[in-house]
Amino acid sequence: MNADQDTDYGNLFRLDRRRALVIGAGSGIGRESALALAAHGAEVICADRDLAAAEQTAEHSLTLSTGGAAVTARRLDVLDQQAIETAAAELGEIDVVVFTAATNVRKRLLDYSSEEFDRVVSLNLRSAFDLIRAFAPGMAERGRGSMIGFTSIRAVAVEPGQGVYAATKAGLLQLMRTAAAELGPSGVRFNVIGPGVVETPLTTQIRNDPDWYRAYAEKSALGRWSKPSELAGAVVYLASDASSFVTGSQLMVDGGWTAVDGRYTPPR
């Protein structure tokens, strides 16, 4: 965005002629992110470890796409560093990278195994590191780009049984802030979105328990869980010129959870 020209507010959120890679597009927040980006004119590559799920998202996104932008699907396992590097080389110019893939093992620290620790850290934090190293250099060369990750209320507020997950989300925030500081001079922006409790496959375990579901709902200012679609607006904002001066930030979309200091101690 050129600050010396009059701002076209009518198209502030448009993403025409931009290419967006959405990782984790097969379900949940990733799926809704892909749909929203396509609806705002972006060419979207829907990536997921489950290719069939990615293809379904791409098919739906195509019906929402405006301006004739292409929507495609790709299999990508972000636990495979070589696969990430290959994708970056094959896809070429990418303007926006959104990564939503995450996992959680709900156990207290003393009950964790080393293998479980490695699994959570690898997907939630190491994969983000690999994605930054693969896609940010091209963005820096072109002098523009936006990378968007997802943290959690757990990046700032913890509860028993969420320690390792919380550590990865806090780590992701600091990783993205550092990338913002290092690559800001090259025109690349790095931000994260901090959801509250969202009805996604990752939260199936607690959603299936009526007591947990109700307790979590009551901890937010709005008194309910969110739908994945309620995160999509934040993604479009951070991908677009509407956020051209926003980098190194954590945008909380948590229904006011952190504002009211919500906390729930689950039963052992």
Side-chain angles (χ1 to χ4, degrees), residues 107-178:
K107 287 184 177 180
R108 294 176 182 247
L109 294 175
L110 299 185
D111 297 327
Y112 245 81
S113 68
S114 296
E115 292 76 15
E116 290 167 336
F117 179 91
D118 289 342
R119 188 199 324 162
V120 175
V121 172
S122 293
L123 183 56
N124 296 5
L125 188 57
R126 174 58 192 259
S127 66
F129 174 69
D130 290 337
L131 288 167
I132 291 170
R133 293 200 302 169
F135 287 95
M139 292 179 174
E141 289 177 5
R142 295 186 295 274
R144 68 182 188 278
S146 175
M147 296 195 72
I148 305 165
F150 278 81
T151 56
S152 167
I153 52 176
R154 297 298 164 223
V156 296
V158 301
E159 71 177 29
Q162 297 260 43
V164 177
Y165 178 80
T168 62
K169 293 304 183 178
L172 176 59
L173 172 59
Q174 294 301 81
L175 183 69
M176 293 287 277
R177 281 176 169 168
T178 304

Side-chain angles (χ1 to χ4, degrees), residues 172-244:
L172 176 59
L173 172 59
Q174 294 301 81
L175 183 69
M176 293 287 277
R177 281 176 169 168
T178 304
E182 294 179 352
L183 291 163
S186 298
V188 188
R189 298 185 297 111
F190 297 82
N191 294 287
V192 295
I193 297 167
V197 286
V198 190
E199 295 183 350
T200 69
L202 185 62
T203 58
T204 298
Q205 176 186 350
I206 55 178
R207 284 191 293 115
N208 288 343
D209 186 311
D211 291 336
W212 280 37
Y213 186 91
R214 183 175 60 256
Y216 276 165
E218 293 172 350
K219 294 302 179 181
S220 74
L222 297 181
R224 63 177 178 85
W225 288 55
S226 68
K227 303 290 185 183
S229 59
E230 294 181 289
L231 281 298
V235 172
V236 171
Y237 167 66
L238 292 174
S240 72
D241 285 342
S243 63
S244 60

